[in-house]
Amino acid sequence: MKTNHDLYEKFSKIYEVFFKPFFIKGIVMSIKTLENQNPKSVLEVGCGPGYSFEFYPENLSVTAYDVSKSMVEEAKLKIKDMTLKDIKILEVTEYQKYLEAKEFDSVLSFSVLSVVPEPQIFLNDLKKYCAKGGYLYLTVHNRRRGFKKYFDVLFDYPCRLLFGFTLLRHIEDFDWTGFEIVETKSANKMLFFSLNDLVVVKKIS
């Protein structure tokens, strides 16, 4: 399975053109839902080229990072004209040290769980950065029911091989100790399929 890091580095210049039309609705839905909680600070993990940045409100402090250096460079170009927004993009070499003792009112991650090689470890990091009473906003591949589940099985291998993500990783597969899933709703619909779900999770302890 190709890693998202390899693909990001190779296709960072065209990534947004190819993937944004498929996933932007879920990102916009996440940020609109986020605004109802009125957070002061958010962390976006796996920000890619930064195509979510334009949708954040101006009164919100946003910290973002990605493991791909080329994606970080693309994201920095995005915020040059966003002078009224408080967005800080962390360099690949600094994000772990910077985030070591920090917590945020909300943590967002869009379609990243399906590509990371160790998803539970990744998820545990998201939990660590979320303050008690705060929320995680995740877009994840949904578990299809009925005959549609066979499409996931059929197309999982090509998706792993060509794009580095799996269709067979779902929100129910992970340990949510200390958290409560408060909302799940369909996002990024295409024809009669929903490409993924927006899952909102609250940190309760």
Side-chain angles (χ1 to χ4, degrees), residues 39-92:
K40 303 302 182 197
S41 63
V42 304
L43 172 68
E44 183 179 335
V45 180
C47 66
Y51 52 69
S52 62
F53 294 166
E54 64 182 288
F55 302 104
Y56 285 113
E58 293 179 357
N59 62 342
L60 185 63
S61 175
V62 178
T63 302
Y65 78 87
D66 199 285
V67 297
S68 165
K69 183 177 180 180
S70 59
M71 283 294 184
V72 168
E73 291 172 354
E74 292 293 315
K76 285 188 172 183
L77 292 176
K78 286 281 193 311
I79 63 172
K80 281 188 174 180
D81 297 325
M82 299 182 185
T83 55
L84 297 179
K85 295 194 176 187
D86 181 8
I87 300 176
K88 177 180 178 62
I89 303 174
L90 303 178
E91 295 285 353
V92 175

Side-chain angles (χ1 to χ4, degrees), residues 144-153 192-193:
R144 304 194 198 282
R145 308 298 180 183
F147 79 94
K148 292 181 182 179
K149 66 183 179 182
Y150 298 108
F151 284 88
D152 288 348
V153 175
F192 57 92
F193 283 110

Side-chain angles (χ1 to χ4, degrees), residues 51-148:
Y51 52 69
S52 62
F53 294 166
E54 64 182 288
F55 302 104
Y56 285 113
E58 293 179 357
N59 62 342
L60 185 63
S61 175
V62 178
T63 302
Y65 78 87
D66 199 285
V67 297
S68 165
K69 183 177 180 180
S70 59
M71 283 294 184
V72 168
E73 291 172 354
E74 292 293 315
K76 285 188 172 183
L77 292 176
K78 286 281 193 311
I79 63 172
K80 281 188 174 180
D81 297 325
M82 299 182 185
T83 55
L84 297 179
K85 295 194 176 187
D86 181 8
I87 300 176
K88 177 180 178 62
I89 303 174
L90 303 178
E91 295 285 353
V92 175
T93 55
E94 70 175 345
Y95 76 86
Q96 289 181 320
K97 184 177 180 179
Y98 181 88
L99 296 174
E100 189 173 339
K102 285 187 169 54
E103 289 185 334
F104 298 82
D105 296 332
S106 297
V107 179
L108 301 91
S109 186
F110 305 121
S111 303
V112 180
L113 271 174
S114 63
V115 297
V116 291
E118 298 180 279
Q120 187 63 60
I121 293 176
F122 172 78
L123 189 59
N124 290 343
D125 282 340
L126 300 191
K127 293 178 179 181
K128 180 175 63 178
Y129 301 141
C130 185
K132 185 176 179 180
Y135 293 83
L136 304 180
Y137 296 83
L138 311 171
T139 56
V140 297
H141 192 74
N142 55 11
R143 188 184 298 278
R144 304 194 198 282
R145 308 298 180 183
F147 79 94
K148 292 181 182 179

